[in-house]
Amino acid sequence: MEEKELQKLVEKISIDYFGKLFRHKASFNGRLRSTGGRYLLGTHNIEINKKYLDQLGMDELIGIIKHELCHYHLHLEGRGYQHRDQDFKVLLKQVGAPRFCRQLLDKPKNRTLKKLLIYQCDKCQLQYKRKRKIDTSRYVCGKCRGKLKKAKEILL
């Protein structure tokens, strides 16, 4: 789907579900990571995350557009357009828009795997689970003051 098609789709959804014209710009923004779309208060434009269309399909995209149009129309009317406002919640239900979008299937490439480090005392065998490395030459067991050593590392 291209930007022109997105613009026409947003305009159609605005008329069909809200009975009002969408007079601003709708575009894809590839830099959005944690959200399906956003309404820009200053310009009144709507930006959509294209990954949602690619991975979750047209139905999810339409839901995101409806959600952002709720922000758009309520803001222009001077009514409560934020997630916490009653006007916003009521309009979401009327048009069948989701309050939150679903999660994407893949994780961003720049995130690393989480790991769990397990340290064990030489004397009493007590285990310590840590997310970060510890300096075993500086720290000792809190129970018996024995020497700690790295037992294993688990990837989560």
Side-chain angles (χ1 to χ4, degrees):
M1 176 180 278
E2 293 183 26
E3 302 252 334
K4 290 179 185 177
E5 295 173 78
L6 176 67
Q7 181 73 31
K8 287 182 181 178
L9 179 62
V10 172
E11 291 170 1
K12 183 180 180 335
I13 291 171
S14 183
I15 290 170
D16 291 351
Y17 288 92
F18 297 87
K20 299 171 188 169
L21 292 174
F22 177 71
R23 300 176 195 267
H24 292 85
K25 188 179 170 206
S27 61
F28 287 114
N29 183 345
R31 293 170 305 188
L32 295 177
R33 291 188 179 274
S34 61
T35 184
R38 69 178 173 186
Y39 165 63
L40 302 168
L41 293 172
T43 61
H44 306 295
N45 294 338
I46 290 176
E47 294 180 342
I48 303 293
N49 187 341
K50 194 168 196 296
K51 291 177 190 171
Y52 278 83
L53 172 62
D54 297 339
Q55 290 184 19
L56 302 174
M58 187 58 87
D59 290 338
E60 187 70 20
L61 178 72
I62 290 170
I64 292 168
I65 292 170
K66 286 183 195 175
H67 178 102
E68 299 309 324
L69 283 171
C70 287
H71 289 297
Y72 172 81
H73 289 299
L74 289 170
H75 181 248
L76 291 179
E77 292 171 9
R79 294 167 55 200
Y81 62 89
Q82 295 179 339
H83 287 137
R84 66 175 178 249
D85 296 324
Q86 194 61 35
D87 288 337
F88 182 75
K89 292 176 185 175
V90 168
L91 187 57
L92 280 178
K93 278 190 180 174
Q94 285 176 355
V95 299
R99 184 126 185 250
F100 304 103
C101 54
R102 290 174 27 207
Q103 228 176 348
L104 285 174
L105 303 175
D106 67 321
K107 294 179 183 173
K109 293 174 186 170
N110 62 350
R111 297 230 175 125
T112 58
L113 287 172
K114 292 183 180 178
K115 60 183 176 182
L116 185 66
L117 300 164
I118 299 175
Y119 294 91
Q120 189 169 3
C121 173
D122 281 343
K123 282 186 184 176
C124 67
Q125 308 305 311
L126 183 65
Q127 290 188 339
Y128 295 90
K129 296 175 183 168
R130 297 289 179 266
K131 290 182 182 177
R132 293 184 180 179
K133 277 185 182 179
I134 62 170
D135 184 359
T136 55
S137 65
R138 289 186 62 196
Y139 295 98
V140 293
C141 177
K143 183 178 175 185
C144 71
R145 309 207 31 89
K147 186 170 173 53
L148 295 177
K149 67 175 183 178
K150 186 173 167 184
K152 57 184 158 183
E153 190 172 309
I154 302 170
L155 293 176
L156 302 174

